Amino acid sequence: SSNIVASNNELNTALWPSMEQCPQCKSGDKWDTRAVIAHLKKEYWPKGVQNFRFIVLKKKDGPEHSSSNRSNLTENLIFFAGSAIFVMWCSKKQKRHNKQHRV
């Protein structure tokens, strides 16, 4: 096995973000987590209305998107109906279970 040791210059070029890209991200030997996160957001998150779950890149308007709105509504209704049926099933099962243990 060989003992290759990287120079300080090689180590600094391997770090990301570099000091040129984000001078406020590192001070001495310590990383500033908030500055790194801000740099990541600036680099990788697109601008626009942001939410924790999704990013709205372009608002859909007009009749050309009405069929996709209907399919989304249908999916939501199916999910809601399925959830309601599941809750009712669990409730009935719990009632039966409670009746059996009272005797």
Side-chain angles (χ1 to χ4, degrees):
S1 76
S2 63
N3 292 335
I4 299 174
V5 178
S7 68
N8 283 340
N9 188 33
E10 290 171 325
L11 290 173
N12 288 334
T13 57
L15 291 177
W16 189 91
S18 69
M19 292 304 292
E20 291 81 28
Q21 292 173 320
C22 183
Q24 65 274 15
C25 288
K26 190 173 181 189
S27 175
D29 290 338
K30 295 198 175 209
W31 288 93
D32 182 346
T33 307
R34 290 179 188 217
V36 172
I37 291 172
H39 180 73
L40 285 169
K41 285 182 179 179
K42 184 180 84 176
E43 286 291 313
Y44 295 106
W45 271 258
K47 294 191 183 340
V49 179
Q50 295 187 9
N51 186 312
F52 291 111
R53 296 176 131 188
F54 61 92
I55 299 170
V56 178
L57 298 176
K58 184 177 178 183
K59 186 177 177 185
K60 295 180 180 180
D61 289 331
E64 67 273 3
H65 297 292
S66 62
S67 63
S68 66
N69 287 341
R70 271 184 247 132
S71 67
N72 286 342
L73 178 63
T74 304
E75 288 175 11
N76 289 338
L77 288 174
I78 289 171
F79 175 76
F80 179 73
S83 298
I85 290 169
F86 178 73
V87 168
M88 290 183 336
W89 177 78
C90 288
S91 176
K92 285 184 180 184
K93 189 173 182 179
Q94 183 66 33
K95 285 180 185 177
R96 280 191 222 127
H97 179 74
N98 288 343
K99 283 182 182 179
Q100 288 174 354
H101 288 284
R102 283 189 207 161
V103 176

